[in-house]
Structures are given as structure tokens and as C-alpha cells.
Amino acid sequence: MRNAVGRELPELIDGYQVKPYRGAYEGQPAPSPVHTMRRAGKSTSDTEKLVCSLEEAIRRVGLTDGMTISFHHSFREGDKVIGQVLAAIRGLGIKHLKFAPSAVVNIRNPSVADFVRDGTIERIEASGIRGELGDAVLEGLMRHPVILRPHGSRPRAIEAGELNIDVAFIGASASDEYGNATGQIGPNACGSLGYSFIDERSADKVVVITDHLVDFPCVPASISQQYVDVVVKVDEIGDPEKIGKGAARMTKNPRDLMIARRAADVMAASRRFRDGFSFQTGAGAISIACTNYLAQHMQERGITASFALGGMTASIVEMFQKKLVRVLECSQSFDSVAARAMADNPNIVEIDNAVYSNAFTKGALLDKLNFGVLAALEVDTDFNVNILTGSSGEMMGGLGGGPDVAAGADISIVCLPVLRGRTPSITRRVFTCCTPGETVAAVVTEAGIALNPRHAHYEELKEDLEKTNLKLVSIEYLQQLAESLTGVPAPIETTDRVVCIVEYRDGTVIDVIRQIKR
Amino acid sequence: MRNAVGRELPELIDGYQVKPYRGAYEGQPAPSPVHTMRRAGKSTSDTEKLVCSLEEAIRRVGLTDGMTISFHHSFREGDKVIGQVLAAIRGLGIKHLKFAPSAVVNIRNPSVADFVRDGTIERIEASGIRGELGDAVLEGLMRHPVILRPHGSRPRAIEAGELNIDVAFIGASASDEYGNATGQIGPNACGSLGYSFIDERSADKVVVITDHLVDFPCVPASISQQYVDVVVKVDEIGDPEKIGKGAARMTKNPRDLMIARRAADVMAASRRFRDGFSFQTGAGAISIACTNYLAQHMQERGITASFALGGMTASIVEMFQKKLVRVLECSQSFDSVAARAMADNPNIVEIDNAVYSNAFTKGALLDKLNFGVLAALEVDTDFNVNILTGSSGEMMGGLGGGPDVAAGADISIVCLPVLRGRTPSITRRVFTCCTPGETVAAVVTEAGIALNPRHAHYEELKEDLEKTNLKLVSIEYLQQLAESLTGVPAPIETTDRVVCIVEYRDGTVIDVIRQIKR
């Protein structure tokens, strides 16, 4: 069968029943009670929760073969929790687990792929599987296909009973002995733990892992003792120097700076750029530069924003400190400045990933966004966006909140260069469709800005931009320009076997990735 | 059948299957997933949530005959939400509702009893039904028995599927148009909305009612937009002058002051009175005096507390400001000082009633209490406590968190005078058993302190108190003293009909109240 973005899909993939994507706003939840795995527990006042080894914690929660375990990705490249826990699990001889973190971060010696190879991990569900693991998956490492979901779809899947977490392992930079825990304080602060809130509420068992025990009661209690079974003290949970690595960095590339400036210009030209507007700019290299250009526009025009949303960076914290933004709603903290900013400012708020991005609540924060700035690996002439796979079919990114923000923001702006090296970024057809074109308002490149005639706010944005000297072009022009510079790249060859299922935010399948022929 | 505190109970009451109380720590939850009524909603980005009348809000959420509605009691005697909502419901002709607030507050013209009489309300479940309604219930007003649960049992019952809330009406002193709401700011601030957190998460539909709309996004968001269906703006939600009325007041009665001083002396004599200890003193007249005496002991001994818990008063906020207590964990704010203190102090924390008191989570805060001070109407020689009914069988109080705190605190201290007027307070057998004797460590009166030999920490407390000049007596001595002063009061006569079911925190029945003969 073929879904609404024209992707050919099997009906059944290794027992997974495919619901084809039907349109960005077509998904409807079944009117059924929200599902949770958490069992009615008995107050554990008489039993100590604190244990001194991961092995004991794992035994205490009764982890056995075939169960599902989860982690957050808030330590990013500095994570030292996942590796330790998986090693302890392997040491106990537990196998065939489903590994369901909010996103897979790169760990080394051993890597997650090594834990797949030795049978500790049998299935993976996440928002992204960057790096060595991703490439190995696309080359056929896993027996079962990996399921990738955008951030907003993970709480949805958990509440719908599609993803049942047996044990959530939550790394926290501070915790008391009873499981009140946070990422805001402590020597290895990672900031918002918002991705773990749904795990805390829904997992059958919850283990808090910390390297910094504080006196009871820990304040703030981002994670609440009422959901925590076991607290385990380890030597080190993360490397704060690396928390920002790989995601949040400032670019000096003149082409990227130009794209960032143009994206900020698009926002500033919109009639929605007015006092009290809201934005999410993200953490890519272009995004951070764009944040700074946006701040300049705001200062010039004397405009302040009501809120900024999503993953926070030092740039946005600086805007907050200059009173350019009233509230920062942080689902994630991309650097150490952002990680520590929440503890001192009531208006820098740690938010649940579900209220950030879940389409099946009674209203996500990103539905209130005026502007969303998004990175991309590829965009095609239908404005479909690929944020997963690179030009040779390698795994280059994660879904993150991209599909969610595009669908929620009034004006969603995808930033990318026309070419990367000898590879065109604007193509006839993206290799992997992650974000449907109908949710993309504008594509900003160094060679011009393409507006999407199928977007809900096309006429408005066109009218606003035509008043400026910004160069408007068609997406076909950009595609042809790219092709004229590079030629038509050879197609990526695949087998018929699906190795990765790409879900849309409503749980339908927007695309699959088939095993890459090497 | 007879339960573990010797109460004779029917097996079935109007369709309610009685599970007899078996002991304070015997209750075990069924190992089943936690229940929630909340249905997977669709993000309402494209529909406005804000409506201008309660009638429209009620229509929007589809309230119909026989449904269950809930409210919090945080405005106490100043509440103007419940009356307006019930009047609007009556105006729409909706009948036979189950009224399930966290506690019934007194409203007038019309009263809740009037809404029962006209058929708008058919059933009531709450923690207390003080005042006119309570007396009317005991005299046979309702066709179905009222179910009273202590605070900790309400979230338990909701999660167990025993109480299913169709529509939660949540009064908030500030809200944005999308349902992020709080009680901490605004002209009619009521403080903590912790009693509504379980409603927010579990009710099928949630209506936020405010008289103070703030710019989006409201900070703090005690109530989150992700759970809110409709926001309605009304003229006035409460009278802050009356928020503290009826509950929090300072006594000048010398007898009560003496009892308060003795209770503080008991705490100060305990080996658990040491740096980092924790306490809950509550909001009765004796309790507030006791808080002040406790602060004096702490200053004299140079001791500070880690946290104070429960309903907060200006007295405890003052202790916090003097740095005598590090953290205030507020489930409720008993006066306007306490209501407004949270907004400015990160260490004054608004807490979920479930983490405060629910026995069936993975650990309630009151399990970590060293000392809990409790008021009572009657105590008997088995140390059983009555906090509901007065000497003529009138409804005098509510269960509140009393049974929860007694069970959770290491040392639970019940304060009451030996007599009130011509009525003995220490009796052979309480008329209504609310808190089981085994959870009461000490009874403090003006005539001496009785320790409970059946309490887990009896030997320890006895040893500690015998080192002081505090007067230790037996409970039988106090009972006989009371009786010698007043004579044996005539028993309260009842019919066989059960009008009120008194649940213990684990959902078993600790007592029933039968219709009073007048």
C-alpha cells in the first residue's frame, strides 16, 4: 500500500501492523482510557530505596529476559548512565531486552551495537539512532526493525499501550535517598529531565541513578518519590563538558550564517512577529546563529517574545536575561548554561515532553508557536523533509521534535544549504520522509527562500515576504540549481527488508527504511 | 461482620461492597495497572478553549445526568466556584450527579444540601461534609450513603477505578486562555492546588475556572494545559479574606495553649528531635500554637528541620523565613500568607496530594515525617480517634489527612482537652472511629500525656519522656477523669440505616455512621 506522502509500505512488518500516514492532521486517537503500566504500589516507608550497585537495583526491580527498559538522552554525548546499566544487565545474564530510550546517544567501549550483538538488546525503539548503531541498523544488524518516533509520539505511544516500559532507568544529577531527583543541580547537571516524566508516570518500575545524593527532600523534585522504586548511587553519571557536544555549537561557516540570517529575516518580516510572539529555534549550528539574528531584530524593533520552547541553549538564556523573552519552556537543555539556568529563574521552566510535543493531549505547547526553525538533511520538491539519512544511506540524525514542531508552529522554517559537499540537499524525492511537506511553510537556503503553496499560511507569508527584498524562489528552482551543480546522484540501493519504521507523531507510518546494499 | 477496630459492619450497603478494615498496615493494592479516566485527546490547537460562561463550559464538556463532578477545597470558606457551577448545572436541568470534591466546603444560598434536595446532586464522596450538609446527611438527607475518605485515599480510589471523575472543575486564581493555571498568584490567590493534581490527570474532562486571565504562558503552571479542555472566566472565584476562616486561627484559650505547649514538649523530648527532623502540625487552633512553641524549642536547642509538610500557615512560613525549616512541602495553604509564599520561594513547594498522603504510591512524603500533630473530637481507651462527629451525633469535622499522618509519622501526637463544655473527649468508645488506635503514639491533654502501649515506638517514646518532668498518665486515667467530671453521657441513638461510610486510607471500611435519631 501507499501512504499520503506516496511511500510504498508493507501491511505487516515482523508482526508490526502498519497504519499508513494519511495526512498531518488526520490522526485521531481511539477514545479509550489512557494506558499506564504503573501498578498500584504500596508505600515503601519501611523499606530503604537506596542501594549501592546497579546490579542490586536491577535485581530489586525484577528485570528479566525480554522486558523493556528506558532512558532519557539528556546527558547526550556525555552520558555515562546507559553504558553502566547495560553492562550491569549483561553481567547478570539478562537478554533479549527492548531498548526504548527517548533517543539513543553514542556510547563507546562497548557501544549499544555491541550490546545488540551479544544479545542483551533485541529490539530498539527511539527517536534517533545516530552514529555507529544507526549505520549498523541500516546494514541489517537487528533481527527486528527499529521503530523511530518523533518526540511527541513517544508519550502518545506509551499512553496508547503501544510501548510498555517495564523498567525506566533515570539518570539524575541530584537525588535524595527516596527518589526525589533533578537534573538542575549537582556537579553533573544536565538540565531538564522532561523526557523522563512520561517514563516516571508510566513505567512499571523506576530506578533513579545519581552520583550526587542530597539531603531529603531534594528540591526541585523534577522526578517525584511517589513513582520511584529504587535509588542507586554510582561514581559518575555523565560528563557535563560533553553534554552540549554534538548538538549545540555555534557556526562560523559564512554560508550557514547567511542561511541563519535569512531565516531570522523571514520571521521578522512576518505579521506574526509582534509583541508577545513565540518561537523555537533549536540547537543545530544554523539554529543558534538564527537565534542571535532574531534577538537583533527584536532589539531593533523593540519587540519581546512571550515564550521560547524546546531545547534551550546559552543563546536563548542570554535573550531571557536581556528580557527579550518572558518565559523559557525547556524540554531539554543543550548546554551547561541552559542546564543550570532553571534552578535560579522561576520563569525558566522544566516542562514535560508530553506538554511540549504530544499531539494527543488536550494541547501541546508547540501548538502555540508562531515560529519554528528546523534543520534538515534533505528537502524534496513536495517539501517533504528528511532528518534521518544521509546521501549514502547512512544514519545522520534523529527525528527529535522536528515533525512535531513543523506541525504545531504557525510558520515552520526549514534551513539547509542547497548542497553539502557534492551532494544536493534539495531533491526530487527525499530518501526518507520524516516531516510531511504540508507542515513546512518555508525552505530557506543560501540561494533563496521557497514558500510552500500547500501550507496553511502560504498566502499570508507570501504577502509579508513580498514586501521585503528577500529573494523568493520556487522549490523546483532550488532543486534544479542543486542538480545543475552536482548532477543526478546515483540512487541508494536497498534490499526489500525493512530495517527501520519511521512513525509520524500520530503513530501512523510515514516511511520505512530498507536495508542498504553496501 | 466486625472489623479490626471492633466495628459492626454490613457486608453490602446500597450496592457498596464492604471490605472490612484489617489493620493500619494490612491493606495491599491489587497488582493491577493504575486506572485513569482521561481519554487520549486530540490536540486542540485549532479550537479556542476559552469560554465566557459556565453554562457554555458545561455544554462543551458534555456533562449529563448521573455523571461525577469534582472540585478542590482550597478556597475553603471563601469558595465561590462550587456554588456558581452547581447553579449553572441546575439551570441546564442536569440531575443525579455524584458530587466528589476533595472536601465539601460550606456554601450558602443555596447550600449543597439544597442542591441535594432539588435532585442536582444524588451522591456525595468527599473527605468531610462539615456544617449544615453534614448534619442533614446524618439525619437521612441522602438516598445513598455518603462515602468519606481521608485525603490519601482519594487519589488511591481514583487510581483504583473506585471513583471515576467525568468532569473536574478546577478553580484557579490565575490562568492563561489555554488552561495553564495556578493558585499562587492573582487577586484571589488560594495557594497550593495540590488536591486537584489527581483530578487533572485522571478526569475525563477538565474545566479551569478563573477570575484572572494572564498572558500565555501562565507561570507557574500548577495545572497544565495538556489536561485542560475548557477555560472559563467568571467575575469572582473566591474571597481571600475567608480562605483561612474556619481552619487556621490562633487560640488564646489558656487550656488549649497548655495542650499545645505540652505537645511541643513531647516532640522536643524525643530522640527524633534533632537536626534535620521533620514535622506536620496542621491548622487547628492548638496546632498553630504548637507550631510556635516548637519553633521556640528549635531556637533554644539550635536545631533546624529538613521539611514541614501538609497544610501551611503563616506560622510555618515565619519559621521558614527564620531558616528554622529548609523546605515547606505544601499540599494546601491555610491562609493568605501561606498562599502567596510559594510564588517567591523555590523551597516552598506546591505538592501533589498523592505524594503527600497516598499510601499506595511508591512512597508518600508523610512516611518521612518524624512528628505529626493531630486534632481530635474524641479519643477512646483503645486510642481510636474520632474526627468527624460531635457529642450529639452532629457532623463536626472532616477526615482530612488525619488518618494518613497518624499512620505515616514516626510519632503521632493527638491533642485534645479532656472535656469540651460538659462533654468528655476521652471516652470508652468513640462514636465514629476514623483513625485506628495503633497509629496513635501519644494523646496530649491538659491533665497529662497518655502513651499508647500498642504503638510501634512506645518503648522509645516512654524512655525519652521519662527523662523529663512531663506528666505521663494512662488513657484509662484520662477517661475516668473525664467521666468523673461529667458523668456518663447518654448514648447517641441511631437507626439501622447507614448514612455515611468511613473509609480508611487503604479503601477498607473502618466505620459507618448510622442515621441519627432526633
Side-chain angles (χ1 to χ4, degrees):
Chain A
M1 66 188 161
R2 196 176 283 272
N3 72 10
V5 284
R7 301 282 154 158
E8 194 62 48
L9 307 173
E11 285 184 23
L12 196 70
I13 306 168
D14 183 45
Y16 175 102
Q17 184 71 49
V18 172
K19 287 176 285 183
Y21 169 80
R22 298 188 302 128
Y25 306 101
E26 296 301 312
Q28 288 287 357
S32 63
V34 163
H35 179 97
T36 171
M37 275 287 279
R38 181 162 65 92
R39 296 172 204 284
K42 186 171 161 59
S43 186
T44 46
S45 60
D46 45 354
T47 58
E48 291 295 325
K49 292 187 185 182
L50 186 64
V51 300
C52 292
S53 78
L54 286 166
E55 287 75 11
E56 194 181 339
I58 292 162
R59 270 193 293 261
R60 194 75 91 81
V61 294
L63 187 72
T64 55
D65 286 5
M67 282 189 170
T68 297
I69 59 173
S70 77
F71 300 86
H72 66 66
H73 65 286
S74 300
F75 290 108
R76 281 168 296 279
E77 302 299 301
D79 191 280
K80 294 188 179 177
V81 169
I82 297 174
Q84 287 183 75
V85 171
L86 289 175
I89 288 171
R90 182 172 58 186
L92 292 167
I94 300 166
K95 289 194 178 290
H96 311 307
L97 299 179
K98 183 188 286 183
F99 178 61
S102 50
V104 177
V105 296
N106 280 316
I107 59 168
R108 286 175 186 82
N109 305 318
S111 67
V112 174
D114 292 332
F115 289 109
V116 172
R117 289 186 192 103
D118 69 21
T120 308
I121 294 173
E122 186 170 293
R123 294 173 182 269
I124 298 177
E125 303 191 10
S127 65
I129 45 168
R130 228 183 283 236
E132 182 212 343
L133 175 68
D135 292 341
V137 164
L138 295 197
E139 287 165 22
L141 172 70
M142 311 281 298
R143 276 210 300 160
H144 308 287
V146 167
I147 300 174
L148 295 183
R149 299 184 176 94
H151 285 328
S153 189
R154 187 171 181 271
R156 181 207 58 73
I158 291 170
E159 292 197 334
E162 295 165 19
L163 172 58
N164 297 312
I165 297 167
D166 293 294
V167 183
F169 293 94
I170 302 179
S173 59
S175 176
D176 62 36
E177 84 275 8
Y178 213 53
N180 298 296
T182 186
Q184 296 182 28
I185 55 173
N188 291 320
C190 63
S192 176
L193 294 183
Y195 285 100
S196 289
F197 291 3
I198 185 72
D199 302 58
E200 165 197 51
R201 290 196 303 269
S202 308
D204 194 6
K205 301 286 180 182
V206 174
V207 178
V208 164
I209 300 162
T210 192
D211 54 7
H212 184 63
L213 279 175
V214 297
D215 286 344
F216 186 93
C218 175
V219 175
S222 308
I223 299 296
S224 167
Q225 63 172 41
Q226 69 177 307
Y227 302 117
V228 176
D229 297 273
V230 181
V231 178
V232 56
K233 168 81 169 65
V234 298
D235 288 340
E236 208 173 29
I237 53 164
D239 177 349
E241 288 301 306
K242 291 189 184 158
I243 286 175
K245 209 177 152 186
R249 59 193 189 282
M250 182 64 188
T251 183
K252 287 183 180 161
N253 178 320
R255 183 198 60 189
D256 288 353
L257 288 172
M258 182 182 167
I259 295 169
R261 180 185 288 275
R262 289 287 168 273
D265 291 345
V266 169
M267 290 188 267
S270 163
R271 69 192 69 184
R272 293 171 195 263
F273 184 69
R274 60 188 170 214
D275 229 37
F277 83 104
S278 59
F279 67 95
Q280 172 165 354
T281 45
I286 293 178
S287 291
I288 293 180
C290 179
T291 305
N292 296 336
Y293 291 123
L294 181 67
Q296 287 174 20
H297 278 294
M298 291 167 72
Q299 285 174 309
E300 282 165 26
R301 298 261 290 274
I303 282 173
T304 61
S306 55
F307 72 99
L309 180 63
M312 292 295 151
T313 59
S315 297
I316 298 180
V317 173
E318 196 184 322
M319 289 176 74
F320 175 83
Q321 283 159 345
K322 288 179 179 166
K323 301 195 188 306
L324 289 172
V325 190
R326 182 167 60 84
V327 180
L328 305 189
E329 304 274 12
C330 312
S331 59
Q332 195 172 173
S333 311
F334 279 127
D335 56 41
S336 57
V337 172
R340 292 184 180 280
M342 287 180 295
D344 304 319
N345 298 289
N347 275 19
I348 305 186
V349 185
E350 179 177 36
I351 58 164
D352 184 353
N353 170 43
V355 76
Y356 162 48
S357 58
N358 184 355
F360 283 10
T361 70
K362 293 167 181 174
L365 280 163
L366 50 72
D367 294 329
K368 288 291 198 179
L369 278 176
N370 294 124
F371 303 107
V373 176
L374 300 158
L377 296 165
E378 271 188 312
V379 176
D380 67 23
T381 47
D382 288 329
F383 288 86
N384 292 325
V385 180
N386 172 11
I387 42 182
L388 282 176
T389 45
S391 59
S392 322
E394 70 276 35
M395 191 62 93
M396 293 277 289
L399 294 173
D404 303 301
V405 173
D410 294 332
I411 308 289
S412 50
I413 302 167
V414 173
C415 294
L416 80 174
V418 171
L419 307 181
R420 283 195 183 87
R422 289 294 301 163
T423 307
S425 306
I426 316 290
T427 61
R428 286 177 194 275
R429 189 168 187 275
V430 287
F431 180 65
T432 311
C433 182
C434 305
T435 302
E438 68 169 301
T439 63
V440 174
V443 171
V444 175
T445 71
E446 73 278 28
I449 298 160
L451 302 185
N452 180 0
R454 288 195 303 135
H455 189 269
H457 299 302
Y458 170 69
E459 295 296 341
E460 169 196 312
L461 190 58
K462 183 160 170 276
E463 193 180 303
D464 290 344
L465 293 189
E466 280 175 350
K467 290 179 190 152
T468 69
N469 60 1
L470 292 167
K471 183 180 173 189
L472 298 182
V473 296
S474 72
I475 192 78
E476 290 78 12
Y477 163 82
L478 294 173
Q479 184 272 320
Q480 284 154 17
L481 173 66
E483 200 174 289
S484 72
L485 294 168
T486 64
V488 181
I492 300 164
E493 287 194 65
T494 67
T495 71
D496 282 344
R497 184 178 162 224
V498 172
V499 292
C500 193
I501 297 168
V502 184
E503 282 191 4
Y504 191 58
R505 56 201 312 246
D506 60 5
T508 59
V509 175
I510 192 161
D511 208 348
V512 294
I513 308 177
R514 294 182 172 82
Q515 185 174 345
I516 310 293
K517 280 190 192 166
R518 292 282 177 219
Chain B
M1 64 188 164
R2 197 176 282 271
N3 71 12
V5 285
R7 302 283 153 156
E8 194 63 50
L9 306 173
E11 286 183 23
L12 195 72
I13 308 167
D14 184 44
Y16 175 102
Q17 185 70 52
V18 173
K19 287 176 286 184
Y21 169 80
R22 297 187 302 130
Y25 306 101
E26 296 301 313
Q28 289 286 356
S32 64
V34 163
H35 179 95
T36 170
M37 275 286 279
R38 181 163 65 91
R39 295 172 205 283
K42 186 172 161 59
S43 185
T44 46
S45 60
D46 45 354
T47 58
E48 290 295 324
K49 291 186 183 181
L50 186 64
V51 300
C52 293
S53 78
L54 285 165
E55 287 75 11
E56 194 182 339
I58 292 161
R59 270 194 293 260
R60 197 67 97 83
V61 295
L63 186 73
T64 55
D65 285 7
M67 281 188 170
T68 298
I69 58 174
S70 76
F71 300 85
H72 66 68
H73 65 286
S74 300
F75 290 107
R76 280 167 299 278
E77 300 299 301
D79 191 280
K80 294 189 179 177
V81 169
I82 296 173
Q84 287 184 75
V85 171
L86 289 175
I89 288 171
R90 180 171 60 186
L92 291 168
I94 301 165
K95 289 196 178 289
H96 312 306
L97 299 179
K98 183 188 286 183
F99 178 60
S102 51
V104 176
V105 296
N106 280 316
I107 59 169
R108 285 177 188 80
N109 304 318
S111 68
V112 174
D114 293 331
F115 289 109
V116 172
R117 289 185 192 102
D118 70 21
T120 308
I121 294 172
E122 186 169 292
R123 293 173 183 268
I124 297 177
E125 303 191 11
S127 66
I129 46 168
R130 229 183 283 236
E132 182 212 344
L133 176 68
D135 292 341
V137 164
L138 296 196
E139 288 165 23
L141 171 71
M142 309 281 300
R143 275 210 301 160
H144 309 286
V146 167
I147 300 175
L148 295 184
R149 300 185 176 94
H151 285 328
S153 190
R154 186 169 182 273
R156 182 207 58 73
I158 291 170
E159 293 197 333
E162 294 165 19
L163 172 58
N164 296 313
I165 298 167
D166 293 295
V167 183
F169 293 93
I170 302 179
S173 59
S175 175
D176 62 38
E177 85 274 8
Y178 213 52
N180 298 295
T182 186
Q184 297 183 27
I185 56 174
N188 292 321
C190 64
S192 178
L193 294 183
Y195 285 101
S196 289
F197 291 3
I198 185 72
D199 302 58
E200 166 196 50
R201 288 195 305 269
S202 308
D204 193 7
K205 300 285 181 183
V206 174
V207 178
V208 164
I209 300 162
T210 192
D211 54 8
H212 184 63
L213 279 176
V214 297
D215 286 344
F216 185 93
C218 177
V219 175
S222 309
I223 299 296
S224 167
Q225 62 171 45
Q226 68 177 306
Y227 302 116
V228 176
D229 295 275
V230 181
V231 178
V232 56
K233 168 81 168 60
V234 298
D235 288 341
E236 209 172 29
I237 53 166
D239 178 348
E241 288 302 305
K242 292 188 184 159
I243 287 176
K245 208 178 155 188
R249 58 194 189 279
M250 181 67 186
T251 182
K252 287 182 182 163
N253 178 323
R255 183 199 62 188
D256 289 353
L257 287 172
M258 182 181 168
I259 295 170
R261 182 185 287 277
R262 288 287 169 273
D265 292 344
V266 168
M267 290 188 267
S270 163
R271 67 192 69 181
R272 294 172 195 264
F273 184 68
R274 60 186 172 217
D275 229 38
F277 83 104
S278 58
F279 67 95
Q280 173 166 354
T281 44
I286 292 178
S287 290
I288 291 178
C290 179
T291 304
N292 296 336
Y293 291 123
L294 181 66
Q296 288 174 21
H297 278 295
M298 290 168 71
Q299 285 174 311
E300 282 164 25
R301 297 263 288 276
I303 281 174
T304 60
S306 55
F307 72 99
L309 180 64
M312 291 297 150
T313 59
S315 298
I316 297 180
V317 172
E318 196 184 323
M319 288 177 74
F320 175 84
Q321 283 158 346
K322 289 178 178 166
K323 300 197 188 304
L324 289 172
V325 190
R326 182 167 60 85
V327 181
L328 305 189
E329 304 275 10
C330 313
S331 60
Q332 196 172 171
S333 311
F334 280 128
D335 55 41
S336 57
V337 173
R340 292 183 181 280
M342 286 180 296
D344 303 320
N345 297 290
N347 276 18
I348 306 186
V349 185
E350 179 176 36
I351 57 165
D352 185 353
N353 170 43
V355 75
Y356 162 47
S357 57
N358 184 356
F360 283 8
T361 70
K362 293 167 181 174
L365 280 163
L366 51 71
D367 294 328
K368 290 291 198 177
L369 279 175
N370 293 123
F371 303 107
V373 177
L374 301 158
L377 295 164
E378 270 189 314
V379 175
D380 68 22
T381 48
D382 289 329
F383 288 86
N384 292 326
V385 180
N386 172 10
I387 42 183
L388 283 175
T389 45
S391 59
S392 322
E394 69 277 37
M395 190 63 90
M396 293 278 288
L399 293 173
D404 304 301
V405 172
D410 295 331
I411 307 290
S412 50
I413 302 166
V414 172
C415 295
L416 80 175
V418 171
L419 308 179
R420 284 196 182 87
R422 290 294 300 162
T423 307
S425 306
I426 316 289
T427 62
R428 288 178 194 275
R429 188 169 187 276
V430 287
F431 180 65
T432 311
C433 181
C434 305
T435 301
E438 65 169 302
T439 63
V440 174
V443 171
V444 176
T445 72
E446 73 278 26
I449 299 160
L451 302 186
N452 180 1
R454 287 196 304 133
H455 190 269
H457 300 301
Y458 170 69
E459 295 297 342
E460 168 196 312
L461 189 59
K462 183 161 171 277
E463 194 180 302
D464 290 343
L465 293 189
E466 280 176 349
K467 291 179 190 151
T468 69
N469 60 1
L470 292 168
K471 182 179 174 189
L472 298 182
V473 297
S474 73
I475 193 77
E476 290 78 13
Y477 164 83
L478 293 173
Q479 184 272 319
Q480 284 153 18
L481 174 66
E483 199 172 291
S484 71
L485 295 166
T486 63
V488 180
I492 300 165
E493 288 194 65
T494 67
T495 72
D496 282 344
R497 183 179 162 223
V498 172
V499 293
C500 195
I501 297 168
V502 183
E503 282 192 5
Y504 191 58
R505 56 201 311 249
D506 60 4
T508 59
V509 175
I510 191 161
D511 208 348
V512 295
I513 308 176
R514 293 181 173 82
Q515 186 175 344
I516 310 293
K517 280 190 191 163
R518 294 279 178 221

